[in-house]
Amino acid sequence: MSDSINKEKRNIWQKTGLVSAILIVFSFPLYLIINHFPGLEEPSALYGQPYFTGGESCIECHQIEYDLWKASDHDLAMAHATDEMVLGDFNDATFEFDGEVHRFYKRDDRFFVWTSGPDGEMGEYEITYTFGYRPLQQYLVPFEGGRLQCLPLTWDTDKNEWYHMVDTVYSDQHIDHMNWLYWTNQAQNWNGMCADCHSTNLLKNYDFKADTFHTTWSDINVNCEACHGAGSEHIKWAKLPEMARLADESFGLPVQTRELDNRTYVDRCARCHARRSIFGDFEGYYADLLDYMHPTLLIEPYYFPDGQILEEDYVYASFTQSKMYMTDVKCNDCHNAHSLKLVAEGVEANDLCLQCHRSDVYDTYDHHFHKKAGEDAKPVYADGKTYEVGSGALCVNCHMPGRYYMGVDFRRDHSIRVPRPDLTIATGSPNACNGCHSENTAEWASEYIHRWYGLSRIPHFGTVFAKARMGDESSIPGLVNIALDELFPVIVRATAIFELEKFSDSLSRQAVIRSLSDPESLIRHHAVQSYLPSGVDEMISLLTPLLNDPVKAVRMQAAFRMSSIPVARMDSSILREFYESLSEYREVMEFTGEFAASRHNLGVIYQNLGMFADAEENFLAAIRIDDEFFPSMANLSVTYNQLGKNDEAEALLRLMIRDFQDYREAHYSLGLLLAEKGDYAGALAALETASELVPDYSRIWYNMALLYQHFGREDKFLDAMETALLLEPQNMDYLYAMAEYYYRIRNFDQVRLIANEIIRYYPQDPLGPQLLQLAGEH
């Protein structure tokens, strides 16, 4: 009994779904972070090696572009706190929130706030930087260790008033000074969250061992060189006589931004305009986007099942699933690359779309069925809002509905879709029709769509993803079709691969295995992540080639997955590639080591490699960063067990059971641990609780059955084993346990039945014939 439970203890974390992805998806709104301090001093340039010269060096030749850029969101992305740049009221203003009165004031031309600090007590803090400009402005406060922290007290530039970010974003949570989301803690830290997208040539300079920052930049805002690259060689090129200049499409710039196909162009912008995790400081544009970053897929809680935005998603994954992207539209077809404004904002509000779409077809009542501004009709009043006559005739209101983020920032969905109230009915995703006509049902809206456009609707991946999210096995054929069909957008196919990880059937497995060799790096990466091996040899065979994948994200994910294989099982010829790729993975996790998830991932690889002291150190670090990060608590309990610290493991599991009731598997882990400690009665009680909380996990029933057998409760043993087999009828451990039981009580007919089941499921395994032979001897 104890051997089986020990084996289960070692494998439990695969079931509990602990953070094992190679990448850290920063699921925190943009306002949580910001950028840093003294400008970066460049070393003497080596000939031919470009270095950053500062945006001011571009004005002499590029005055027109500079004028367009000036006062843009890029220009105003971050600034020193000065009278010119600070928009908020610091004239001894007060703001009351949650029983506390916050004050904003100036002294000696410096800006201060009186608010609650790291210990929860009120105190004075100096504001040194602004972050953003419109429709809200945030403020940064310096702390020790090179940290800048973002105040939750935010200025609404439209209403000209203060508001508290917690009230608009975390209104359903209690955020005190111990919470990871509190403004002086890591979730609101500027250095590690978004600094790289609000300044030029941002170097985070995080010291992993000291847990400190020395973050630098060359321009405090998003300046010319943020997109065009370091400009020194371009300036040298420009100063040459025209006849002496080399024929160079990029004019000496390290980054080409002209005459790009739409994928390359969009990838240029995706560096920042995507919800993503990054692998290091930005060192220039890469051959593949996944050499630098990993974009978030169309998964919950970030997107609705049909791919519409739910959380703050920053455009990339929305646009790359769109029909526009699939037909070669790129960012600058709609946005001026320097001012960021729309390229067409004429008297007719649909001018932008009519650059490509025929006005006599699409800008007519017969297409949108809404009155235009000035025509005789009544406004629509819903949810306290007024929708004026003409708003329903605007392309963007039907095809790019939006949501508010950070309380006051309205952002449109760039998946650019047709309204589908039928998908609302099927998946719960919103639709543009009911966005205005909220007093009516989706069925009402769907009836109008049928009346205007007919009954036929194109099948949508959203219906498949909605079922997959619920673990519905009927979604498997649809997921496989999406994953393998190259006509679907890559981001959609990768999402299908991600969802297939939930299913262990042969159809899902084969689709994932086939995707390991897909031409698209995003597909390969998620195939590695979703791959469920049938054994160590198969895993080595399929993942070893990916240790040499040309794309960094794929190599690292392959190494992470293979770290669970005992090194002794690997051929010496692959060890160099394995350790090199695993080293890349470790470097990325240390680069983002200020995050609990990164420390956790480091703990996992050290745990896999048998380096338990290092695993313990990183799991503890993760918990220090976020004292509610229960995956590290769960893995730490296993590490304690591996280090022989079973009392510490038990105490930690009991703490989790008390404080994290949603983590129900902790009862199972406690049962396994208590059994190993010899407390079989306590183990049985914990497993019985686990069986009530997680009734569909067969291993709970199996181990509970073994304990019933230990206590001589044969009826309970049979009931638990039958439940385990009902949940997982092909499991060899369960079949063997039942065969052993029936053989012991001399019920040889049942032994023969089980032997035949083993032969049916595992025809190559000698156990079935051996059991038949034993039963036939009696």
Side-chain angles (χ1 to χ4, degrees):
M1 178 186 66
S2 60
D3 286 343
S4 175
I5 292 181
N6 285 338
K7 177 182 177 182
E8 288 307 301
K9 172 180 62 60
R10 291 193 296 271
N11 295 328
I12 179 63
W13 310 119
Q14 291 184 1
K15 162 64 181 174
T16 56
L18 303 181
V19 178
S20 61
I22 170 170
L23 306 175
I24 312 304
V25 177
F26 298 140
S27 308
F28 321 110
L30 179 63
Y31 56 81
L32 298 182
I33 357 320
I34 338 247
N35 302 308
H36 177 59
F37 342 123
L40 179 68
E41 294 183 2
E42 289 290 345
S44 299
L46 300 174
Y47 178 77
Q49 179 179 333
Y51 60 92
F52 287 82
T53 60
E56 293 294 321
S57 63
C58 306
I59 300 174
E60 179 181 354
C61 297
H62 300 286
Q63 185 69 49
I64 294 175
E65 289 79 7
Y66 174 81
D67 290 343
L68 288 168
W69 167 85
K70 191 65 178 174
S72 70
D73 287 345
H74 280 175
D75 176 24
L76 303 172
M78 183 174 170
H80 294 280
T82 64
D83 287 334
E84 179 185 5
M85 298 307 301
V86 172
L87 301 177
D89 182 2
F90 282 82
N91 187 27
D92 293 323
T94 60
F95 173 73
E96 184 175 353
F97 175 75
D98 200 22
E100 295 179 334
V101 178
H102 309 269
R103 293 195 296 117
F104 308 87
Y105 51 95
K106 289 181 64 179
R107 187 171 65 244
D108 300 328
D109 292 326
R110 293 152 64 194
F111 295 83
F112 294 89
V113 60
W114 181 268
T115 189
S116 55
D119 56 0
E121 300 297 321
M122 300 296 284
E124 179 182 85
Y125 299 91
E126 183 179 2
I127 290 167
T128 54
Y129 298 98
T130 65
F131 192 61
Y133 200 79
R134 53 178 170 253
L136 67 148
Q137 187 175 69
Q138 294 180 277
Y139 303 95
L140 303 181
V141 174
F143 283 86
E144 63 181 12
R147 284 171 161 78
L148 281 178
Q149 300 294 133
C150 185
L151 275 173
L153 300 162
T154 308
W155 184 252
D156 183 332
T157 63
D158 291 331
K159 295 181 179 179
N160 287 321
E161 64 183 22
W162 291 102
Y163 72 98
H164 201 294
M165 197 65 73
V166 168
D167 190 38
T168 60
V169 179
Y170 305 118
S171 57
D172 59 339
Q173 301 182 50
H174 174 66
I175 310 296
D176 62 19
H177 69 283
M178 298 298 292
N179 192 293
W180 183 72
L181 295 170
Y182 187 73
W183 79 275
T184 61
N185 296 332
Q186 183 55 42
Q188 313 293 341
N189 169 254
W190 162 84
N191 310 74
M193 295 291 287
C194 304
D196 60 304
C197 285
H198 285 257
S199 298
T200 300
N201 188 28
L202 195 289
L203 301 177
K204 186 169 69 170
N205 290 326
Y206 173 64
D207 187 321
F208 177 77
K209 295 187 180 298
D211 190 29
T212 59
F213 296 90
H214 180 64
T215 309
T216 61
W217 59 66
S218 55
D219 277 305
I220 193 172
N221 51 14
V222 181
N223 217 306
C224 312
E225 291 172 300
C227 298
H228 295 283
S232 61
E233 295 306 299
H234 172 66
I235 292 175
K236 292 178 184 178
W237 176 91
K239 289 182 177 179
L240 291 172
E242 187 170 348
M243 295 300 293
R245 295 172 181 172
L246 295 175
D248 181 356
E249 291 182 356
S250 297
F251 312 107
L253 287 167
V255 179
Q256 182 179 348
T257 55
R258 296 177 51 172
E259 300 179 1
L260 302 176
D261 62 84
N262 81 314
R263 176 166 181 164
T264 304
Y265 197 103
V266 171
D267 282 358
R268 294 277 196 267
C269 301
R271 172 204 159 192
C272 288
H273 293 273
R275 191 179 191 118
R276 83 285 190 268
S277 53
I278 61 174
F279 304 153
D281 290 323
F282 185 72
E283 298 176 351
Y285 291 96
Y286 300 79
D288 191 289
L289 195 62
L290 269 70
D291 282 322
Y292 169 70
M293 56 171 268
H294 177 270
T296 301
L297 302 181
L298 310 178
I299 58 178
E300 53 185 348
Y302 312 112
Y303 294 86
F304 286 102
D306 67 348
Q308 290 188 72
I309 54 174
L310 179 54
E311 296 291 329
E312 266 188 303
D313 297 315
Y314 314 120
V315 176
Y316 173 77
S318 297
F319 187 59
T320 54
Q321 62 174 290
S322 72
K323 187 175 181 180
M324 301 298 104
Y325 178 75
M326 298 296 283
T327 52
D328 296 331
V329 174
K330 51 185 179 285
C331 310
N332 64 338
D333 287 323
C334 297
H335 299 273
N336 181 284
H338 295 99
S339 70
L340 311 184
K341 294 179 180 179
L342 297 176
V343 298
E345 294 182 290
V347 176
E348 295 295 330
N350 289 332
D351 282 356
L352 182 68
C353 303
L354 297 179
Q355 293 181 107
C356 299
H357 299 276
R358 290 176 51 181
S359 60
D360 61 331
V361 175
Y362 296 103
D363 197 19
T364 67
Y365 182 84
D366 289 338
H367 175 68
H368 51 64
F369 296 96
H370 287 75
K371 296 293 182 67
K372 291 189 174 183
E375 295 182 344
D376 186 22
K378 295 181 179 180
V380 172
Y381 304 96
D383 294 336
K385 299 178 182 178
T386 300
Y387 297 94
E388 299 292 348
V389 176
S391 60
L394 299 179
C395 305
V396 292
N397 286 341
C398 289
H399 300 290
M400 296 182 68
R403 299 173 69 85
Y404 280 93
Y405 298 99
M406 304 167 71
V408 300
D409 192 1
F410 184 76
R411 303 178 193 170
R412 292 194 178 276
D413 190 323
H414 279 62
S415 57
I416 314 176
R417 60 186 60 235
V418 297
R420 291 286 298 267
D422 60 306
L423 290 179
T424 302
I425 298 169
T427 72
S429 300
N431 71 84
C433 304
N434 293 118
C436 294
H437 300 280
S438 57
E439 76 283 4
N440 294 305
T441 66
E443 287 78 7
W444 170 89
S446 185
E447 175 58 32
Y448 269 96
I449 295 295
H450 290 162
R451 189 182 307 175
W452 293 337
Y453 304 109
L455 296 175
S456 177
R457 293 289 170 273
I458 297 174
H460 196 279
F461 62 79
T463 58
V464 178
F465 288 173
K467 291 180 179 179
R469 290 182 177 189
M470 296 185 293
D472 187 340
E473 293 183 353
S474 69
S475 67
I476 292 173
L479 290 173
V480 170
N481 177 65
I482 293 168
L484 301 181
D485 188 345
E486 294 183 1
L487 294 179
F488 280 97
V490 172
I491 197 77
V492 176
R493 295 177 58 211
T495 303
I497 291 290
F498 174 90
E499 297 291 353
L500 282 172
E501 184 179 3
K502 299 173 181 174
F503 308 105
S504 58
D505 63 289
S506 61
L507 185 63
S508 300
R509 254 181 47 83
Q510 289 306 310
V512 170
I513 289 173
R514 180 174 168 182
S515 298
L516 291 170
S517 57
D518 194 272
E520 292 288 346
S521 61
L522 191 64
I523 303 292
R524 296 196 304 278
H525 173 269
H526 282 284
V528 175
Q529 182 174 316
S530 295
Y531 165 60
L532 298 176
S534 64
V536 170
D537 290 339
E538 181 195 82
M539 189 177 189
I540 292 174
S541 173
L542 292 177
L543 296 190
T544 294
L546 296 171
L547 294 173
N548 289 309
D549 195 276
V551 178
K552 185 173 185 175
V554 181
R555 293 193 303 272
M556 293 191 297
Q557 184 66 15
F560 178 85
R561 292 299 309 276
M562 291 183 69
S563 71
S564 64
I565 301 172
V567 172
R569 294 289 301 273
M570 297 186 199
D571 189 88
S572 59
S573 63
I574 69 170
L575 288 179
R576 182 176 63 83
E577 289 84 357
F578 168 70
Y579 283 122
E580 285 180 354
S581 296
L582 194 64
S583 178
E584 286 186 297
Y585 177 90
R586 185 173 60 250
E587 288 171 3
V588 169
M589 293 303 106
E590 290 182 355
F591 175 82
T592 54
E594 70 271 30
F595 291 95
S598 295
R599 294 284 185 162
H600 174 83
N601 284 349
L602 285 168
V604 170
I605 63 170
Y606 288 130
Q607 192 175 50
N608 287 344
L609 296 173
M611 302 169 66
F612 301 128
D614 291 319
E616 177 186 15
E617 178 184 347
N618 281 281
F619 290 140
L620 286 170
I623 297 167
R624 282 195 300 272
I625 295 168
D626 182 358
D627 64 1
E628 296 184 3
F629 196 75
F630 67 81
S632 280
M633 298 179 191
N635 270 28
L636 180 59
S637 70
V638 173
T639 298
Y640 279 151
N641 172 252
Q642 291 163 327
L643 290 169
K645 300 179 180 180
N646 283 345
D647 290 342
E648 289 92 333
E650 180 180 346
L652 186 55
L653 287 170
R654 293 192 183 280
L655 175 69
M656 294 178 66
I657 289 170
R658 185 193 71 190
D659 293 347
F660 302 99
Q661 297 181 12
D662 289 340
Y663 184 68
R664 300 173 178 181
E665 290 86 351
H667 294 273
Y668 177 48
S669 301
L670 179 61
L672 299 181
L673 178 67
L674 292 176
E676 182 175 335
K677 294 179 71 175
D679 181 4
Y680 298 128
L684 181 57
L687 291 177
E688 286 177 332
T689 301
S691 70
E692 295 172 2
L693 297 174
V694 195
D696 59 344
Y697 184 37
S698 64
R699 307 300 291 192
I700 295 174
W701 294 96
Y702 170 63
N703 281 288
M704 192 163 60
L706 297 180
L707 285 168
Y708 283 137
Q709 190 176 47
H710 172 78
F711 285 111
R713 300 169 65 178
E714 301 295 328
D715 56 336
K716 288 286 190 178
F717 164 80
L718 280 175
D719 288 344
M721 282 304 311
E722 287 173 358
T723 301
L725 277 168
L726 184 65
L727 291 168
E728 201 174 345
Q730 299 183 34
N731 189 289
M732 178 67 88
D733 290 340
Y734 307 169
L735 291 168
Y736 180 78
M738 288 294 281
E740 189 275 336
Y741 167 74
Y742 284 122
Y743 185 84
R744 182 166 49 82
I745 66 171
R746 304 183 68 77
N747 186 338
F748 301 116
D749 288 339
Q750 286 294 329
V751 174
R752 279 188 284 271
L753 286 174
I754 294 171
N756 284 321
E757 286 294 284
I758 293 173
I759 292 171
R760 181 161 72 95
Y761 292 135
Y762 306 99
Q764 305 301 320
D765 197 300
L767 179 61
Q770 290 171 1
L771 287 173
L772 277 180
Q773 181 179 353
L774 286 172
E777 294 173 355
H778 296 277

